[in-house]
Amino acid sequence: MSALTMSDLAAPMRALRLLAADFADLPAVNLGISRIYPGRLELSCHDGFDVFEAWREALAIPPEAVTHDELDKDTRTLEADVDFAGVRLRLIGYSCNYRQVEFPKAVA
């Protein structure tokens, strides 16, 4: 097995550059590029589902493509994958508190 090089991560880095240019006004999110999944770019929204929804709409991810889960009694998640600029983009949203946050209408 050969070791990956930085050029093996070029596709998600190009996709990130496009996101920064095309969606500069959207809220900042955590970003993930990994050697383990060199064809994936991950965007994690930790500021509530409204940030997730803004990104979902901008990326034209249909509401029915969103899955939801409960990590524990205080944390809900939303997740969706979409092909974007030659990579698999994974969008993840985390709620701040189970008792205070409702799922967006599209997921409920």
Side-chain angles (χ1 to χ4, degrees):
M1 181 175 156
S2 62
L4 292 177
T5 65
M6 287 303 289
S7 66
D8 294 313
L9 301 177
M13 288 191 273
R14 279 193 298 274
L16 178 56
R17 186 175 60 194
L18 287 173
L19 289 174
D22 294 348
F23 304 115
D25 293 335
L26 286 179
V29 293
N30 290 359
L31 307 166
I33 296 174
S34 169
R35 306 177 318 142
I36 298 168
Y37 300 106
R40 183 181 350 179
L41 173 61
E42 186 172 291
L43 307 181
S44 300
C45 313
H46 294 268
D47 297 322
F49 289 154
D50 56 335
V51 174
F52 176 93
E53 280 295 297
W55 276 97
R56 184 195 62 75
E57 289 178 6
L59 294 166
I61 299 172
E64 58 272 10
V66 177
T67 61
H68 60 90
D69 198 6
E70 294 183 22
L71 297 181
D72 56 42
K73 68 181 180 108
D74 291 326
T75 307
R76 287 182 170 183
T77 64
L78 298 178
E79 189 171 316
D81 290 315
V82 65
D83 291 324
F84 179 82
V87 300
R88 193 71 174 161
L89 188 144
R90 176 162 289 170
L91 180 64
I92 304 171
Y94 297 92
S95 71
C96 57
N97 187 307
Y98 178 81
R99 290 174 287 285
Q100 297 175 356
V101 177
E102 295 182 17
F103 284 124
K105 294 175 191 169
V107 177

